[in-house]
Amino acid sequence: SKCNNIAVLGGGVGVPPMYMLCRQLIQQGKKVNVILGFNTSSEVFYEDAFKALGADVTATPVDGSYGMKGFVTDAMRELDTYTYFYTCGPEPMLKAIMQCLPTQIVYVYCNPATLSKNLAVLTSKYDVELIQPLDMFPQTPHVECVVLLQRK
């Protein structure tokens, strides 16, 4: 199906899992807006890698030392509306994304042990359609989970 506008959102350690996804979406001919969240400019990474893929990238250090000052969700408000949100980041970012009420969220999480805590927040407004474990980084002990959520 045709995706009009895709937002790929990553905060801190949630940035690397979004890279492979972004690459696949761009290979499929999708327009991808990547918004990366960090605390300071010294923490910004993968920005050039996402740009090399052909994504539009906005970095949002909270302290305003680089890019756009604020949070990932601040940058979301500056851009167009989105057909799909793909996200991997901390609970406060999820709560802010929920305020935008996207129809669907694809949530990638790297710690199944705490995934249930974040799903408890998300399921107040979203139904879980699918949960799929995925080993995106086999050299580490982590197993990511991809969760498809549909607005109630």
Side-chain angles (χ1 to χ4, degrees), residues 65-80:
S65 58
Y66 177 81
M68 180 181 186
K69 180 180 181 176
F71 296 98
V72 166
T73 49
D74 296 324
M76 286 170 41
R77 289 184 202 96
E78 298 290 320
L79 300 173
D80 296 330

Side-chain angles (χ1 to χ4, degrees), residues 43-93:
E43 296 175 5
V44 175
F45 66 98
Y46 272 42
E47 180 183 22
D48 291 336
F50 280 106
K51 287 179 180 178
L53 293 175
D56 293 330
V57 182
T58 303
T60 60
V62 175
D63 70 358
S65 58
Y66 177 81
M68 180 181 186
K69 180 180 181 176
F71 296 98
V72 166
T73 49
D74 296 324
M76 286 170 41
R77 289 184 202 96
E78 298 290 320
L79 300 173
D80 296 330
T81 58
Y82 301 101
T83 308
Y84 291 94
F85 284 83
Y86 295 88
T87 184
C88 184
E91 184 180 329
M93 187 174 89

Side-chain angles (χ1 to χ4, degrees), residues 1-61:
S1 67
K2 184 178 181 204
C3 300
N4 296 327
N5 205 1
I6 296 171
V8 172
L9 314 170
V13 297
V15 171
M18 298 290 92
Y19 179 79
M20 294 295 288
L21 172 64
C22 181
R23 185 173 75 181
Q24 290 177 348
L25 292 168
I26 288 174
Q27 286 174 345
Q28 294 172 13
K30 310 293 188 212
K31 179 184 182 321
V32 180
N33 291 294
V34 176
I35 305 173
L36 306 174
F38 304 97
N39 289 317
T40 68
S41 62
S42 65
E43 296 175 5
V44 175
F45 66 98
Y46 272 42
E47 180 183 22
D48 291 336
F50 280 106
K51 287 179 180 178
L53 293 175
D56 293 330
V57 182
T58 303
T60 60

